[in-house]
Amino acid sequence: MKSRANRLQPAVDLAHDRQEVAMQKLAEQQQRLAKAEAQLAELRRYREEYAETAGGVTVSALLNRRQFVERIDNVIAQQINEVARQQRQLEHARGQWRDAHAREQALGSVIDRYREQERKVEERREQAEIDERMQYRRPMGESRR
């Protein structure tokens, strides 16, 4: 007959696998966020550099320059939204990992408790066997005297 701890082991294994998958997704999301933040930083640097360079002196050149800066600003705004979206997804992935981790820990604690109970039951059984053997030895030893 399987012990309660052994019967629960597949659930613990499944919880562990789910926690591992959630951790992998969390790591991947952290990488996506870092990439989005790096792209945003690069866009901001590019805008600064472009704004610092001298432009043309004609009205048409100044208008083109201003329109280009506005396009860069629009791309930066879109990237800011992307970073915010990636941050939300990261928080979601972190929450999923926390939940999976908590489930795994809870099941592990239950199994540990069951194993401890089973160990104590086994110790009591062994002690009862020893006590029983000792009872049978005493009368034999006493009769020899």
Side-chain angles (χ1 to χ4, degrees), residues 68-126:
F68 187 70
V69 169
E70 285 175 3
R71 278 188 248 140
I72 293 173
D73 287 343
N74 286 336
V75 172
I76 288 173
Q78 290 172 357
Q79 191 63 28
I80 288 170
N81 289 335
E82 177 63 14
V83 167
R85 187 178 74 80
Q86 294 295 338
Q87 287 171 333
R88 286 189 304 273
Q89 288 183 342
L90 176 62
E91 285 308 309
H92 179 71
R94 188 173 283 130
Q96 287 183 321
W97 174 79
R98 278 190 202 118
D99 291 347
H101 182 69
R103 274 188 227 106
E104 179 186 20
Q105 293 295 319
L107 283 170
S109 294
V110 168
I111 282 192
D112 289 345
R113 193 170 54 244
Y114 285 166
R115 287 196 173 127
E116 181 62 21
Q117 289 171 355
E118 291 163 3
R119 185 188 63 76
K120 287 179 180 178
V121 165
E122 181 62 22
E123 283 178 1
R124 279 189 226 116
R125 187 191 62 75
E126 288 174 0

Side-chain angles (χ1 to χ4, degrees), residues 20-41:
E20 289 287 325
V21 168
M23 188 173 11
Q24 181 63 35
K25 287 180 181 179
L26 177 61
E28 290 168 0
Q29 187 57 43
Q30 287 172 327
Q31 290 173 346
R32 284 191 289 273
L33 174 60
K35 183 179 178 183
E37 289 173 335
Q39 288 174 338
L40 177 59

